[in-house]
Amino acid sequence: MKITEWNQRHVEYFPVGDGWRPLVEKLVCDIAAISPDVEVSDCKEKFGGLRFYIYGGSEDVWGLIEKAEEASYTICEECGAPSKCRSKAKYGWIYNRCNKCWQKMQNITG
């Protein structure tokens, strides 16, 4: 999908946690302002950080993506509070959660 279609298509369903929504929405707007023909292929969480994949784009666009991905490691994916990556050895997954969301997750999953 074209970067200019992103916000219209992700009103109800958002591919990552709401804590990262402002980060991704700003990234999308910044990319669209520089290169409106960029195609988005995927947006997801991987190893506790944001991954934003595109086709095309200038070095400036790739720089914006790199900065957003780096910033995601300091933002709770669930609520947007300051956070850090944590691992649940039981499952082998890495999560990016603030203390409050991490504790809530522990209480739910054990």
Side-chain angles (χ1 to χ4, degrees):
M1 106 184 66
K2 286 204 183 277
I3 194 84
T4 54
E5 300 169 357
W6 175 271
N7 288 332
Q8 297 163 338
R9 293 208 181 171
H10 290 95
V11 173
E12 292 183 29
Y13 166 76
F14 204 73
V16 293
D18 281 338
W20 287 351
R21 182 183 287 265
L23 180 67
V24 173
E25 288 177 345
K26 180 178 182 338
L27 174 61
V28 166
C29 288
D30 291 347
I31 292 172
I34 294 172
S35 188
D37 292 330
V38 163
E39 295 276 336
V40 179
S41 62
D42 200 4
C43 176
K44 64 183 180 180
E45 177 277 332
K46 187 171 183 178
F47 302 120
L50 174 69
R51 298 295 185 274
F52 197 84
Y53 300 103
I54 62 168
Y55 297 111
S58 65
E59 285 186 36
D60 291 339
V61 168
W62 286 100
L64 291 171
I65 293 169
E66 184 178 350
K67 286 180 184 177
E69 289 178 347
E70 286 175 15
S72 72
Y73 285 103
T74 65
I75 301 168
C76 177
E77 184 182 1
E78 292 299 310
C79 73
S83 69
K84 63 181 180 179
C85 289
R86 305 164 193 255
S87 176
K88 281 192 82 132
K90 181 177 178 181
Y91 302 109
W93 292 100
I94 299 171
Y95 299 91
N96 195 319
R97 300 291 188 272
C98 66
N99 291 335
K100 183 178 177 183
C101 291
W102 181 250
Q103 189 60 45
K104 185 175 11 174
M105 186 177 164
Q106 297 301 310
N107 292 338
I108 293 170
T109 62

